[in-house]
């Protein structure tokens, strides 16, 4: 059997396949489709301090090669998450990573501190990169702000800290470096890419929010390039890759490019069992290739330019 165990700083996973926040609900909804205990971990939808109704509809639209969404972090709020969702999440049999978004640094820190006292969580993922809301999430475009936030969360919360970064900047490496220097256990690369869809007959954007975040196959080449860039510049920083991963080959491409784990997102919408299928494919393909441990291939990609 292939050894699939991976380490992301202080976070150890039984295998490198996770689900992506915002695509897997609060996890309970997916239990009938996926053997959750087989996955390396699950990331429920983003939680904010207070309940959010999200953006007006329509807030999703399919494109030729992906999905545009402007959900706006619709969720029940931190108190409801702790009282109603965490008890179930403690029973799923795999690592649970809470994804949180604050309106400012203080709110991020307060939420992380509160969750740090809860049993049953493996890590906290800081959503500093959602393109569909304002109120502080734009701090993800500022390297100094990201570094300051990660440092403060590390001080307030005992859980491993993962920073989920945006591709909608000039230099993701600089922001990842700031997160690493501040003590992030890992970074998640990438969140969605800002885009839009237009109804030319109505002369209107299709999304009520005008613009949204593009996910799915269309962004995979962008995500691969960013993972490659960050892995080469910061080889000691663990990376969780996300962006267009639909099968085992997609996942393995990210692993050789430098990611230590992957998140399956948009593929779940048309195949609820996608994450488990990705895991099965990784096991089969590595076994066929004679690879004894997934660690052997992580970061093994070599440039054609020497």
């Amino acid at each position: 059997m292939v050894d699939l165990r991976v380490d992301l700083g202080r976070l150890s996973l039984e295998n490198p396949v996770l689900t992506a926040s915002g695509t897997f609900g609060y996890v309970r909804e997916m239990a009938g489709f996926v053997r959750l205990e087989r996955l390396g971990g699950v990331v429920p939808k983003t939680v904010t301090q207070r309940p959010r109704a999200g953006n007006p509809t329509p807030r999703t639209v399919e494109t030729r090669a992906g999905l545009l969404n402007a959900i706006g972090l619709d969720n029940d709020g931190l108190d409801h998450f702790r009282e109603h969702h965490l008890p179930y999440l403690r029973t799923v049999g795999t690592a649970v990573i809470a994804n949180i978004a604050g309106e400012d640094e203080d709110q991020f820190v307060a939420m992380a501190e509160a969750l740090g006292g809860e049993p049953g969580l493996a890590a906290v993922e800081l959503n500093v990169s959602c393109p569909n809301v304002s109120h502080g999430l734009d701090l993800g475009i500022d390297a100094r702000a990201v570094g300051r936030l990660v440092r403060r969360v590390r001080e307030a919360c005992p859980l491993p800290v993962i920073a989920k970064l945006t591709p909608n900047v000039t230099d993701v490496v600089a922001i990842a470096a700031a997160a690493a220097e501040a003590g992030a256990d890992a970074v998640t690369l990438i969140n969605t890419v800002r885009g839009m869809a237009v109804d030319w007959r109505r002369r209107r954007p299709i999304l009520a929010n005008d613009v949204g975040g593009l996910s799915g196959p269309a962004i995979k080449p962008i995500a691969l390039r960013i993972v490659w860039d960050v892995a080469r510049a910061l080889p000691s920083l663990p990376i969780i890759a996300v962006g267009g991963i639909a099968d085992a080959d997609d996942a393995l491409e990210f692993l050789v490019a430098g990611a230590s784990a992957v998140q399956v997102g948009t593929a779940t919408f048309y195949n609820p069992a996608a994450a488990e299928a990705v895991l099965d494919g990784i096991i089969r393909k590595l076994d066929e290739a004679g690879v004894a441990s997934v660690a052997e291939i992580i970061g093994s990609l070599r440039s054609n330019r020497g």
Side-chain angles (χ1 to χ4, degrees):
M1 289 292 293
V2 179
D3 184 356
L4 296 175
R5 292 172 295 179
V6 294
D7 291 320
L8 305 165
R10 294 173 294 162
L11 175 63
S12 296
L13 302 176
E14 289 300 310
N15 68 69
V17 179
L18 305 102
T19 61
S21 179
T23 64
F24 214 66
Y26 289 111
V27 179
R28 187 193 305 265
E29 304 94 310
M30 308 303 294
F33 302 98
V34 182
R35 287 173 289 179
L36 299 170
E37 72 279 1
R38 291 199 64 216
L39 302 180
V42 290
V43 189
K45 66 191 299 183
T46 299
V47 178
T48 55
Q49 181 71 50
R50 293 181 288 271
R52 286 180 60 97
N55 291 326
T57 58
R59 50 191 190 181
T60 61
V61 58
E62 290 187 53
T63 71
R64 291 184 182 179
L67 179 71
L68 273 171
N69 90 82
I71 303 299
L73 302 184
D74 175 2
N75 78 101
D76 299 326
L78 182 63
D79 289 343
H80 188 83
F81 178 78
R82 295 171 69 184
E83 294 169 10
H84 296 277
H85 296 300
L86 260 181
Y88 169 76
L89 290 168
R90 294 185 182 110
T91 72
V92 299
T94 190
V96 177
I97 300 171
N99 180 292
I100 62 172
E103 295 182 3
D104 54 34
E105 285 184 30
D106 290 342
Q107 201 171 87
F108 267 107
V109 174
M111 293 178 68
E113 184 174 19
L115 290 174
E118 293 280 2
L121 288 176
V124 61
E125 186 177 63
L126 307 179
N127 184 356
V128 295
S129 52
C130 178
N132 304 316
V133 296
S134 52
H135 303 299
L137 289 185
D138 53 356
L139 68 82
I141 67 175
D142 184 327
R144 287 176 297 180
V146 169
R148 186 169 59 242
L149 173 62
V150 169
R151 186 172 293 106
R152 291 184 62 192
V153 169
R154 277 292 304 253
E155 293 171 353
C157 176
L159 297 173
V161 177
I162 302 163
K164 187 170 185 177
L165 305 184
T166 178
N168 302 302
V169 294
T170 303
D171 184 8
V172 179
V173 171
I175 298 175
E181 185 177 352
D185 290 272
V187 293
T188 299
L189 304 172
I190 56 176
N191 210 324
T192 54
V193 178
R194 280 173 61 85
M196 71 183 301
V198 169
D199 182 340
W200 70 265
R201 292 177 177 86
R202 294 177 53 243
R203 276 68 161 178
R204 296 278 187 176
I206 295 176
L207 293 172
N209 195 58
D210 290 348
V211 299
L214 180 65
S215 63
I219 73 167
K220 180 187 162 191
I222 298 171
L224 268 172
R225 189 266 304 169
I226 291 175
V227 167
W228 167 242
D229 285 347
V230 173
R232 287 194 297 173
L234 304 165
S236 63
L237 175 64
I239 296 170
I240 303 171
V242 58
I245 297 169
D247 58 30
D249 285 315
D250 293 329
L252 290 165
E253 289 171 24
F254 278 102
L255 293 176
V256 299
S260 295
V262 298
Q263 293 179 354
V264 180
T266 300
T268 297
F269 292 137
Y270 59 83
N271 177 13
E276 191 172 4
V278 168
L279 175 61
D280 287 336
I282 289 174
I283 294 171
R284 183 179 67 256
K285 289 175 182 292
L286 291 183
D287 186 57
E288 291 171 352
V291 176
S293 170
V294 70
E296 294 177 25
I297 70 163
I298 291 173
S300 59
L301 187 64
R302 295 294 176 261
S303 172
N304 290 324
R305 299 186 297 175

